[in-house]
């Protein structure tokens, strides 16, 4: 995701026909999968002078033009309301419910990913194709998980697909995992997950504990949510691959973006990007970025080549999430360019851009 953002901004800044004499910049924040942290990040983004003054904009020189992120569903409208107050449009690339985008009145929230209902129907068609009519559901124990359950189960019922069990997953690992995950011993072979990648990582650890206690092999068909990913261990091994091997998931349709592969092949980790990519870089190349000694691991040079990574450890093309971020950056750039042209009166008689050099993959 970070690399697709960098590539889009770099490409736009080099394009003399799009935002000439204007250079786009960016700030990257991590909400650590926490709603409270998300709101704290929003305040830091709005008030760059570290002085939180609600309803006042004290720093106009470093104001954000737009915000791109995968916002928590339960807080999406609240977040959109805050940004709307300061006239800042936001783009979300997570799977969304139609009520959040396009039907939010004056809220400047734009969704650039498939609707949740599209994902639901995709799962149903998959189940019907393989004649799987007895399934289990694992959802997050929050408003987002409850919303998924309320919207998805009626679709299953309409297609004569039964839910054998419902498990609400929490961020907790303890010695009671054997009892908490007892549903895995049922005869249900197909389990549908609705969770963030963070929760899937927690579930993976729980599966390890469960197998070690029960000595029973977990052989299930997992249907994973869109835009999920595996974490890696320090040697670059995918954590959980043995449990989710052969799992099924739906990906967002993408197009090949010219120049992205070359960008990755020539990418070097400089000081400005170390704080965002340090964990990935260290795990991928088995090195360390700190000045202290780390035993068997050598110090990273920053010149390691992404193309040297195995295809199983690093994808050299944009996935659905990265492609959505790439298009969101271009949407912001074109909107800003349109605003500049409107102010200067440089518009054609049809009200379109004269020449933006827009490529098919940038639409």
């Amino acid at each position: 995701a970070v690399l697709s953002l960098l590539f889009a901004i770099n490409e736009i800044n080099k394009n003399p026909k799009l935002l000439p004499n204007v250079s786009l910049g960016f700030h990257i924040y991590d909400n650590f999968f926490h709603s409270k942290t998300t709101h704290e990040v929003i305040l830091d983004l709005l008030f760059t002078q570290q002085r939180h003054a609600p309803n006042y904009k004290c720093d106009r020189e470093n104001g954000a033009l737009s915000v791109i992120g995968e916002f928590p569903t339960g807080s999406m409208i609240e977040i959109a309301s805050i940004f709307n107050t300061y006239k800042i449009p936001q783009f979300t690339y997570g799977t969304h419910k139609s009520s959040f985008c396009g039907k939010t009145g004056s809220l400047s929230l734009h969704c650039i990913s498939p609707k949740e209902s599209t994902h639901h129907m995709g799962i149903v068609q998959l189940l019907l194709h393989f004649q799987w009519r007895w399934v289990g559901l694992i959802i997050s124990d929050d408003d987002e998980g409850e919303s998924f359950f309320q919207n998805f189960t009626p679709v299953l019922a309409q297609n004569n697909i039964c839910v054998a069990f419902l498990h609400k997953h929490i961020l907790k690992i303890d010695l009671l995992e054997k009892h908490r995950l007892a549903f895995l011993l049922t005869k249900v072979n197909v389990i549908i997950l609705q969770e963030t990648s963070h929760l899937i990582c927690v579930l993976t650890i729980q599966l390890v504990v469960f197998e070690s206690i029960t000595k029973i092999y977990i052989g299930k068909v997992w249907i994973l949510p869109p835009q999920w990913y595996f974490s890696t261990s320090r040697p670059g091994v995918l954590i959980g691959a043995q449990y989710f091997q052969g799992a099924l998931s739906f990906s967002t349709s993408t197009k090949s973006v010219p120049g992205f592969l070359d960008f990755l092949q020539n990418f070097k980790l400089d000081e400005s990007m170390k704080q965002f990519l340090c964990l990935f870089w260290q795990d991928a190349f088995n090195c360390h970025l700190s000045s202290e000694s780390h035993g068997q691991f050598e110090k990273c040079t920053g010149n390691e080549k992404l193309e040297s990574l195995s295809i199983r450890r690093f994808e050299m093309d944009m996935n659905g999430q990265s492609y959505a971020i790439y298009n969101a950056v271009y949407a912001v750039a074109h909107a800003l360019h349109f605003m500049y042209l409107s102010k200067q009166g440089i518009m054609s008689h049809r009200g379109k851009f004269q020449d933006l050099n827009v490529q098919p993959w940038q639409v």
Side-chain angles (χ1 to χ4, degrees):
V2 173
L3 293 174
S4 65
L5 173 71
L6 292 175
F7 173 68
I9 292 178
N10 181 66
E11 196 175 47
I12 292 170
N13 288 340
K14 289 183 177 180
N15 188 344
K17 295 183 179 180
L18 181 58
L19 291 177
N21 300 321
V22 175
S23 295
L24 293 181
F26 62 91
H27 293 282
I28 301 177
Y29 294 88
D30 193 340
N31 65 0
F32 298 100
F33 306 101
H34 196 276
S35 180
K36 179 182 177 182
T37 305
T38 300
H39 286 80
E40 291 176 349
V41 163
I42 291 173
L43 293 177
D44 289 339
L45 181 63
L46 291 174
F47 309 107
T48 55
Q49 294 181 340
Q50 304 302 315
R51 294 191 304 235
H52 296 171
N55 299 322
Y56 290 92
K57 187 63 176 174
C58 303
D59 184 9
R60 296 184 179 276
E61 294 183 358
N62 299 312
L65 293 173
S66 181
V67 176
I68 301 171
E70 186 175 4
F71 306 112
T73 301
S75 306
M76 191 175 290
I77 295 300
E78 297 175 23
I79 294 172
S81 299
I82 295 173
F83 283 127
N84 185 67
T85 300
Y86 295 91
K87 310 301 181 185
I88 299 177
Q90 61 262 217
F91 294 84
T92 176
Y93 48 82
T95 303
H96 66 277
K97 287 176 278 296
S98 58
S99 59
F100 288 150
C101 299
K103 298 182 180 180
T104 53
S106 61
L107 298 180
S108 53
L109 175 63
H110 307 281
C111 296
I112 50 178
S113 58
K115 296 179 181 179
E116 186 184 51
S117 57
T118 303
H119 179 223
H120 293 173
M121 289 309 302
I123 295 177
V124 168
Q125 292 302 315
L126 178 67
L127 297 176
L128 293 177
H129 176 77
F130 290 105
Q131 298 183 7
W132 293 331
R133 297 183 179 273
W134 193 247
V135 302
L137 286 182
I138 299 181
I139 64 175
S140 54
D141 190 16
D142 53 22
D143 292 341
E144 189 168 351
E146 185 62 30
S147 176
F148 176 86
F149 177 76
Q150 295 296 333
N151 290 306
F152 184 48
T153 50
V155 180
L156 293 176
Q158 292 169 7
N159 290 273
N160 298 318
I161 299 172
C162 299
V163 177
F165 66 81
L166 170 67
H167 175 69
K168 293 186 177 182
H169 194 200
I170 59 176
L171 285 171
K172 186 176 181 180
I173 302 174
D174 54 37
L175 297 178
L176 297 178
E177 294 304 334
K178 176 180 177 181
H179 306 287
R180 193 183 300 278
L181 301 182
F183 62 86
L184 291 173
L185 300 178
T186 65
K187 294 183 179 180
V188 177
N189 293 322
V190 180
I191 300 179
I192 301 171
L193 290 182
Q194 171 281 319
E195 294 191 317
T196 63
S197 294
H198 182 46
L199 269 174
I200 291 178
C201 292
V202 173
L203 176 62
T204 301
I205 298 175
Q206 292 173 332
L207 293 177
V208 173
V209 175
F210 180 81
E211 277 200 355
S212 65
I213 294 176
T214 63
K215 308 300 181 183
I216 298 175
Y217 170 71
I218 302 173
K220 303 292 183 182
V221 176
W222 301 89
I223 299 179
L224 300 176
Q227 301 178 356
W228 63 278
Y229 57 82
F230 280 128
S231 291
T232 60
S233 63
R234 191 55 191 268
V237 178
L238 295 177
I239 299 175
Q242 69 273 29
Y243 298 103
F244 297 107
Q245 186 174 9
L248 302 171
S249 180
F250 293 87
S251 61
T252 306
S253 177
T254 63
K255 297 179 181 179
S256 178
V257 179
F260 186 62
L261 177 59
D262 183 66
F263 172 79
L264 293 180
Q265 291 175 336
N266 294 283
F267 181 81
K268 293 183 179 180
L269 187 67
D270 58 23
E271 289 296 327
S272 64
M273 295 309 302
K274 280 186 178 180
Q275 59 179 315
F276 306 118
L277 298 174
C278 60
L279 294 179
F280 160 75
W281 205 268
Q282 291 175 155
D283 288 342
F285 295 105
N286 299 327
C287 58
H288 68 89
L289 290 167
S290 65
S291 57
E292 299 178 1
S293 175
H294 283 255
Q296 60 179 328
F297 299 109
E298 297 180 354
K299 184 175 178 59
C300 302
T301 65
N303 295 320
E304 292 81 7
K305 295 292 184 180
L306 294 174
E307 62 179 332
S308 66
L309 301 178
S310 166
I311 188 63
R312 293 184 179 181
R313 293 167 59 189
F314 186 76
E315 181 60 57
M316 296 294 286
D317 202 356
M318 288 190 185
N319 58 22
Q321 184 185 76
S322 298
Y323 189 69
I325 293 173
Y326 174 80
N327 283 327
V329 175
Y330 263 94
V332 173
H334 287 311
L336 186 60
H337 191 100
F338 180 88
M339 183 184 71
Y340 286 156
L341 293 180
S342 297
K343 288 182 177 181
Q344 298 172 8
I346 312 176
M347 299 291 291
S348 68
H349 65 283
R350 294 182 180 180
K352 298 182 179 180
F353 301 122
Q354 287 184 331
D355 184 7
L356 284 184
N357 192 26
V358 180
Q359 304 299 326
W361 57 85
Q362 298 168 355
V363 175

